[in-house]
Amino acid sequence: LKDQEVIRVNEKEMKNLENHLTKIQYRDGEIEELTEKANGLKREIRDLHQTVDRQNGSKFEFRYKDPLPNWDKHRVKGLVANNISVKDPKYSRALSSIVSGGWRSVITDTDETGKLLIERGNLENRVVVIPLNKIHANTIERNKVALAQKLVGKENAIPAIDLLNYNKDVEKAIQYIFGNVFVCKDLETAKQVTFHKDVFTRSFTLDGDEMSPDGSLSGGAAPQGPAILDEVTRIK
């Protein structure tokens, strides 16, 4: 009787396995094909890593050691450059000029987080920290935007921040950097916008030239190489 029970259990298990096998859609050679595909993807990953290395992609990484046990990595938002993307590449030069070297700045949730990173994070380089709890966001008043666009055309004077995609949790930092500046078609347009008595707001041209309300102008020779935000996009 005991043997019969074992046989019955085994037969039931065999039947279950047979039912399971019938549900598997397998064809001859499929495992070999998938193995070759996996190997191909591994080669592609290796080649992409080498491409990133050749383009100095590591400069767009922010590396640090956890300054405290059980560290919450969400406290560190990362480099400014990695928190934004340009909606239209034709504005990359202007936006890159606006952020300038600030693309390397690190966004954190608080100033305390920034202090811990600097003191205990074993940072490879000096960094500027943008703590979300301390900065004051600054954006162009909508009436100034309306006036500027009435003067030169809606497509010729655009608030810089409207040309970017970014996560809501870092919005205050992006406004802090890009919020109070126009992107204009050219220098003549920038001049009309910047020096109008009811606008009086800093602006950058598509070529990256800056016009400031204090009368200063920076620019001139065409920039060499790709805009920094184009580099970020390519590395991403």
Side-chain angles (χ1 to χ4, degrees):
L1 290 175
K2 184 178 180 181
D3 289 343
Q4 287 179 340
E5 178 62 20
V6 172
I7 290 171
R8 189 185 67 78
V9 170
N10 287 343
E11 285 178 339
K12 183 178 180 181
E13 178 64 17
M14 184 179 70
K15 187 67 174 177
N16 289 336
L17 290 172
E18 287 175 344
N19 290 335
H20 182 65
L21 286 171
T22 59
K23 294 177 182 177
I24 297 176
Q25 302 297 317
Y26 177 76
R27 56 181 173 77
D28 290 341
E30 186 173 10
I31 289 178
E32 291 76 12
E33 288 179 15
L34 290 172
T35 299
E36 178 57 30
K37 184 176 181 180
N39 290 335
L41 290 171
K42 288 176 183 177
R43 288 192 294 271
E44 186 176 352
I45 289 170
R46 185 179 63 250
D47 291 344
L48 288 170
H49 275 301
Q50 292 174 353
T51 299
V52 169
D53 289 341
R54 283 197 301 272
Q55 297 185 14
N56 198 20
S58 61
K59 72 180 180 181
F60 298 110
E61 297 178 21
F62 176 58
R63 299 173 180 171
Y64 68 93
K65 176 185 175 183
D66 290 353
L68 294 174
N70 303 314
W71 178 255
D72 180 4
K73 293 189 180 297
H74 291 96
R75 296 175 64 172
V76 182
K77 311 302 179 180
L79 299 181
V80 167
N82 290 330
N83 279 280
I84 58 177
S85 62
V86 181
K87 293 180 179 179
D88 187 331
K90 81 175 184 179
Y91 298 111
S92 290
R93 181 69 65 185
L95 294 167
S96 295
S97 295
I98 293 169
V99 71
S100 188
W103 66 266
R104 301 183 185 88
S105 298
V106 177
I107 304 173
T108 62
D109 59 348
T110 66
D111 55 322
E112 179 61 25
T113 297
K115 183 180 178 182
L116 286 169
L117 288 177
I118 292 172
E119 292 179 349
R120 307 182 189 178
N122 285 3
L123 303 183
E124 298 174 354
N125 303 295
R126 295 180 64 85
V127 300
V128 173
V129 175
I130 301 178
L132 292 169
N133 69 321
K134 290 293 185 179
I135 57 173
H136 298 285
N138 193 14
T139 57
I140 306 170
E141 296 94 327
R142 298 321 295 181
N143 64 313
K144 287 187 177 183
V145 174
L147 176 56
Q149 294 181 341
K150 183 178 179 180
L151 283 171
V152 299
K154 188 173 183 179
E155 71 284 359
N156 296 325
I158 306 172
I161 199 165
D162 292 350
L163 301 171
L164 294 166
N165 293 312
Y166 51 88
N167 293 327
K168 280 294 181 181
D169 63 339
V170 295
E171 181 174 40
K172 194 175 177 183
I174 307 309
Q175 290 175 337
Y176 174 74
I177 298 169
F178 294 95
N180 197 30
V181 58
F182 281 105
V183 171
C184 295
K185 181 181 68 171
D186 51 33
L187 276 176
E188 184 55 37
T189 305
K191 182 178 178 180
Q192 293 181 60
V193 169
T194 299
F195 297 128
H196 191 283
K197 64 182 180 64
D198 293 323
V199 180
F200 214 57
T201 301
R202 194 166 60 118
S203 59
F204 282 74
T205 70
L206 295 180
D207 291 329
D209 299 326
E210 178 184 4
M211 185 78 72
S212 177
D214 65 9
S216 63
L217 170 66
S218 64
Q224 299 297 312
I228 191 67
L229 295 183
D230 280 338
E231 285 192 65
V232 174
T233 299
R234 186 165 58 251
I235 294 298
K236 283 183 180 178

